[in-house]
């Protein structure tokens, strides 16, 4: 199936169409507060405001007035996109009836059903949607901290960190060494670190072709591994070295001040180090008491409703839901199910059985795109994969170019779906 901007939006409209006459419960408009304006929260706010035809009072809380997508930010690092192409405002969501508040949520009183913002404002809600993305576990890579991210960037929350990492790569000396400390499972965008390696290799190939790249990985295997390794061999012969746990990839320490990485106690000087630490649900999910011992927020698979509170939904990266990867496509898909469920509870609109989908594209080199994905349905206490696909090794150039062009259409479509 080839996805385009038109087919994405048309399919979403068909799935969530206006098939009801609003029956608002109570005297005033029910209030829905959404925390986080990315692929999950932005989509949920957009669909609830649009499809309720004004029957819901929807407020979106997002700290950044201009949102920078983490998805596709690797292509900026590789030189395939301008940074501005990753940035999106909320004017269209506001025009669609969403009250956008640029502030940070710092507290949730689930008994009183209120959200407290850093600026002091208190927002009451009938239903609450949390889609706050990820937090980093600072102790997961010895020697690394958020303060050290100015020396060894993570660039896994897009914005200034993304720009910093690209500048550092471009400033590497001829024949220098780029190191990545890859994250343990589960984490945002499973193929993301390895697409980044491809983009770093492409950037270096243009102006620093004798540079080396090492990946220090705590995992025995990674997403699309065969496809990435084929691409690295084809386009960046000898530049990329993956170090698995067997050879010390899980026993890594960093020294930001001296720009060193230690592998099983042996220090190596590097010129640029990208540390992507272990991750957990966004902080507000933990503050609200919605996470479990895993650090993620468990949800019901048929609606994305929190298992901890019947008035709260958790979407995207922060949720613990089963087989779906933590990706923008997943969050967007989950948001539509949640928006439909919330409208059903608050307005009496029809609710259809939950279905989810995901596709993750990665770019290996100019016009060489690969993908994997699946469709999902609730199965018992989890969201389970029911059908999946992945690109094949050895595909011809025309197909790979088409896959890349498909990803560009998807980006245009999903950002319109999120931001209006």
């Amino acid at each position: 199936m080839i996805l385009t901007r038109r087919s994405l939006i048309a399919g979403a409209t068909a799935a969530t169409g206006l098939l009801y006459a609003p029956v608002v419960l109570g005297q005033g408009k029910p209030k829905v507060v959404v925390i986080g304006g990315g692929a999950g929260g932005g989509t949920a706010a957009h669909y609830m405001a649009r499809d309720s035809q004004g029957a819901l009072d929807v407020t979106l809380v997002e700290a950044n007035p201009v949102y920078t997508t983490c998805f596709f930010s690797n292509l900026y690092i590789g030189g395939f996109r301008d940074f501005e192409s990753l940035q999106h405002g909320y004017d269209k969501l506001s025009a669609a009836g969403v009250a956008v508040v640029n502030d940070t949520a710092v507290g949730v009183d689930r008994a009183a059903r209120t959200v407290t913002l850093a600026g002091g404002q208190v927002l009451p809600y009938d239903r609450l949607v949390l889609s706050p993305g990820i937090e980093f576990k600072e102790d997961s890579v010895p020697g690394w901290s958020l303060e050290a991210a100015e020396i060894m960037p993570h660039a896994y929350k897009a914005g200034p960190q993304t720009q910093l990492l690209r500048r550092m790569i471009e400033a590497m000396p001829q024949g220098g060494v780029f190191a990545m400390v890859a994250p343990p499972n589960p984490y945002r965008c499973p193929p993301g670190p390895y697409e980044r390696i491809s983009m770093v290799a492409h950037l270096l190939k243009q102006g620093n072709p004798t540079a080396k790249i090492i990946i220090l990985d705590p995992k025995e295997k990674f997403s699309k591994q065969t496809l990435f390794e084929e691409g690295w061999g084809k386009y960046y012969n000898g530049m990329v070295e993956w170090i698995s746990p067997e050879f010390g990839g899980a026993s890594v320490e960093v020294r930001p001040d001296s720009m060193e990485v230690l592998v099983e106690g042996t220090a190596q000087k590097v010129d640029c180090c990208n540390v992507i630490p272990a991750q957990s649900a966004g902080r507000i999910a933990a503050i609200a008491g919605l996470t479990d011992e895993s650090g993620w927020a468990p949800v019901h698979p048929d609606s994305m409703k929190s298992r901890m509170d019947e008035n709260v939904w958790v979407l995207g990266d922060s949720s613990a839901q089963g087989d779906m990867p933590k990706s923008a496509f997943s969050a967007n898909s989950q948001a539509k199910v949640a928006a439909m469920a919330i409208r059903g509870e608050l307005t009496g609109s029809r609710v259809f059985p939950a279905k989810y989908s995901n596709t993750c594209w990665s770019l290996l080199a100019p016009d060489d795109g690969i993908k994997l994905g699946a469709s999902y349905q609730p199965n018992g206490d989890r969201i389970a994969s029911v059908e999946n696909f992945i690109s094949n090794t050895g595909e011809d150039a025309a197909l790979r170019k088409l896959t890349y062009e498909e990803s560009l259409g998807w980006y245009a479509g999903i950002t319109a779906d999120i931001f209006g």
Side-chain angles (χ1 to χ4, degrees):
M1 180 181 67
I2 302 301
L3 286 177
T4 65
R5 172 175 176 166
R6 181 176 295 176
S7 65
L8 176 71
I9 296 175
T13 302
T16 61
L18 305 179
L19 302 178
Y20 65 94
V23 182
V24 179
L25 307 179
Q27 296 299 313
K29 286 185 182 181
K31 297 181 182 296
V32 183
V33 174
V34 181
I35 299 175
T43 304
H46 185 192
Y47 274 68
M48 284 186 288
R50 186 195 71 184
D51 292 352
S52 71
Q53 297 182 314
L56 299 179
D57 182 342
V58 181
T59 299
L60 176 66
V61 179
E62 166 56 46
N64 301 298
V66 176
Y67 190 90
T68 306
T69 61
C70 204
F71 53 101
F72 268 53
S73 63
N74 284 335
L75 273 63
Y76 162 76
I77 291 173
F80 290 90
R81 292 185 78 92
D82 294 333
F83 188 75
E84 292 73 19
S85 73
L86 306 174
Q87 297 190 299
H88 305 272
Y90 293 95
D91 290 350
K92 291 181 180 178
L93 278 190
S94 296
V98 177
V100 179
V101 179
N102 294 132
D103 204 341
T104 301
V106 295
V108 175
D109 186 332
R110 287 163 43 201
R113 295 193 201 176
T114 59
V115 173
T116 300
L117 307 184
Q121 188 175 1
V122 177
L123 303 175
Y125 68 82
D126 294 290
R127 299 294 185 271
L128 175 64
V129 178
L130 297 185
S131 191
I134 56 170
E135 295 296 335
F136 297 120
K137 296 183 178 180
E138 292 195 72
D139 59 353
S140 64
V141 179
W144 189 88
S145 65
L146 285 175
E147 289 75 17
E150 294 304 307
I151 304 171
M152 293 182 168
H154 57 76
Y156 231 62
K157 291 183 179 181
Q161 279 273 301
T162 316
Q163 295 172 302
L164 173 61
L165 181 60
R166 178 166 162 176
R167 289 196 302 270
M168 293 182 72
I169 297 165
E170 292 175 327
M172 285 173 53
Q174 291 296 308
V177 178
F178 174 92
M180 172 186 283
V181 181
N185 291 322
Y187 61 95
R188 164 181 282 173
C189 189
Y194 311 97
E195 181 190 51
R196 178 172 292 177
I197 291 296
S198 303
M199 295 295 93
V200 172
H202 173 76
L203 189 63
L204 290 172
K205 186 178 178 180
Q206 309 311 302
N208 192 352
T210 59
K212 299 294 183 184
I213 297 171
I214 58 173
I215 312 163
L216 301 162
D217 207 326
K219 304 181 294 296
E220 295 285 353
K221 58 183 180 179
F222 57 86
S223 178
K224 303 179 187 171
Q225 182 167 353
T226 302
L227 292 163
F228 279 117
E229 290 180 335
E230 179 189 52
W232 297 338
K234 179 178 181 180
Y235 298 111
Y236 315 113
N237 188 31
M239 183 181 281
V240 180
E241 180 183 5
W242 177 63
I243 300 175
S244 69
E246 181 182 0
F247 296 99
S251 302
V252 177
E253 180 182 343
V254 296
R255 292 174 178 168
D257 291 342
S258 58
M259 196 57 74
E260 291 178 304
V261 296
L262 283 74
V263 181
E264 295 184 329
T266 300
Q268 177 175 345
K269 185 80 173 176
V270 300
D271 299 288
C272 181
C273 187
N274 176 204
V275 177
I276 308 175
Q279 296 156 31
S280 61
R283 183 173 290 109
I284 192 64
I287 290 172
L290 300 170
T291 57
D292 61 16
E293 63 279 357
S294 72
W296 306 99
V299 297
H300 292 284
D302 60 344
S303 65
M304 300 301 295
K305 181 183 289 190
S306 168
R307 291 185 179 274
M308 311 292 193
D309 191 318
E310 65 179 6
N311 297 307
V312 181
W313 276 251
V314 185
L315 310 177
D317 296 345
S318 284
S319 65
Q321 35 68 19
D323 292 348
M324 297 187 78
K326 298 181 184 298
S327 74
F329 200 127
S330 291
N332 175 261
S333 177
Q334 293 162 8
K336 294 168 187 174
V337 170
M340 179 174 58
I342 293 168
R343 290 198 320 271
E345 289 191 4
L346 295 178
T347 71
S349 63
R350 186 175 178 183
V351 177
F352 295 91
K355 293 183 179 180
Y356 305 93
S357 59
N358 175 69
T359 302
C360 287
W361 289 268
S362 303
L363 188 61
L364 299 175
D367 290 330
D368 193 339
I370 55 177
K371 65 180 179 179
L372 61 73
S375 56
Y376 306 84
Q377 292 181 9
N379 186 354
D381 63 353
R382 62 189 288 108
I383 296 175
S385 172
V386 294
E387 187 177 6
N388 57 70
F389 59 87
I390 187 170
S391 295
N392 294 311
T393 56
E395 290 175 332
D396 64 47
L399 179 56
R400 290 292 181 84
K401 182 178 181 180
L402 186 64
T403 300
Y404 173 54
E405 291 172 347
E406 179 187 71
S407 76
L408 300 179
W410 171 78
Y411 186 88
I414 195 173
T415 50
D417 218 30
I418 299 165
F419 302 104

